[in-house]
Amino acid sequence: MNPTNLVLAIREWRELEPSMEFRCFVKSFTLVAACQRKCDTCYNYDDSDLNNIRERLATFYDSCLGHSISTDGDFVFDVYLDTRSTWLVGLNILGPPTNPILFEWKEILSCREKKKNDKFLPSLPTKPTNIELRVAVASSDEGFQKGEHSSLPVIPGSSEFGSSRVPADTMELFKNGGIEALMDILQKQKKEDNDSSSSSSISSSDDTK
């Protein structure tokens, strides 16, 4: 492979405020839902903040994306909202393995079911009030708080990478000694396997005498 034919794409590193990162879901060219990306933390959004977030997401989608991204009109995009601008962070497919974070995929995929002969025209302009916006809230003794905007309780240990997690016992292992503990277990298992193999060989030799 000729190195001159390769393209190196480097994204500039910036410090971002996690509370202003959102994952947005587009179904049949319509922005149907959005949620905070960092789902293991509660942020102090008030109703005014959430209404403003929905308006900015709708404006960004209508003016910058519309139906120019996907031929079937189904995709996911991540954005960052700073004080003045809205930045596109990334694009993903609508469905696994993309993480729906605070949603279930069946909720998203059931929105605006496609019909035969549908031309998949975008529903523009987007109405902010039609966007299902979900944010995490602190759990209460009676379950979780729920206000005008759809909200979910914070689940301890949850994260935006939840669908890519390793088994719980592996995480527990790393908490109790990390990679050294794992190596000790593997070496012990190898020794036991070798001892077992040696014992079988000796027993086999005795039987042949």
Side-chain angles (χ1 to χ4, degrees):
M1 180 180 293
N2 189 343
T4 59
N5 294 330
L6 299 177
V7 176
L8 177 63
I10 301 177
R11 187 159 55 187
E12 181 181 357
W13 171 261
R14 293 193 180 188
E15 291 291 340
L16 304 180
E17 172 54 50
S19 65
M20 300 309 290
E21 292 183 85
F22 295 90
R23 173 152 292 180
C24 305
F25 304 87
V26 177
K27 183 75 168 66
S28 300
F29 290 114
T30 300
L31 177 55
V32 296
C35 66
Q36 66 186 65
R37 286 201 63 205
K38 188 173 177 58
C39 65
D40 60 352
T41 305
C42 292
Y43 300 107
N44 295 321
Y45 305 113
D46 58 27
D47 284 347
S48 177
D49 293 330
L50 294 172
N51 285 328
N52 181 58
I53 289 169
R54 289 163 79 165
E55 290 175 2
R56 292 186 62 180
L57 294 179
T59 298
F60 177 79
Y61 174 71
D62 289 351
S63 61
C64 298
L65 298 180
H67 68 118
S68 62
I69 297 297
S70 173
T71 56
D72 63 2
D74 296 347
F75 61 96
V76 174
F77 66 95
D78 296 334
V79 294
Y80 178 71
L81 310 179
D82 66 17
T83 54
R84 295 184 179 182
S85 303
T86 301
W87 301 88
L88 180 65
V89 177
L91 294 167
N92 290 286
I93 62 172
L94 187 76
T98 304
N99 194 329
I101 307 181
L102 293 182
F103 288 93
E104 296 290 338
W105 274 122
K106 61 183 179 181
E107 297 178 274
I108 301 297
L109 298 178
S110 65
C111 296
R112 281 178 56 86
E113 288 294 341
K114 299 174 183 177
K115 300 177 181 179
K116 289 183 178 180
N117 301 322
D118 189 344
K119 295 181 179 180
F120 303 117
L121 296 177
S123 298
L124 304 177
T126 300
K127 294 182 179 179
T129 54
N130 289 343
I131 301 173
E132 173 77 10
L133 177 60
R134 288 188 178 177
V135 296
V137 297
S139 297
S140 64
D141 293 337
E142 299 300 326
F144 61 91
Q145 303 169 14
K146 195 167 186 177
E148 178 183 354
H149 301 269
S150 181
S151 51
L152 295 176
V154 169
I155 302 173
S158 62
S159 77
E160 63 269 37
F161 306 112
S163 63
S164 303
R165 288 177 182 164
V166 297
D169 53 353
T170 302
M171 288 302 298
E172 191 64 28
L173 173 65
F174 277 90
K175 290 179 182 177
N176 295 327
I179 193 65
E180 292 82 3
L182 178 60
M183 291 301 297
D184 288 343
I185 292 175
L186 293 176
Q187 290 174 357
K188 182 179 179 181
Q189 183 63 51
K190 182 178 181 181
K191 184 177 184 300
E192 290 176 352
D193 291 343
N194 290 337
D195 291 345
S196 177
S197 178
S198 297
S199 298
S200 297
S201 298
I202 294 173
S203 176
S204 177
S205 297
D206 291 341
D207 291 342
T208 59
K209 290 182 180 179

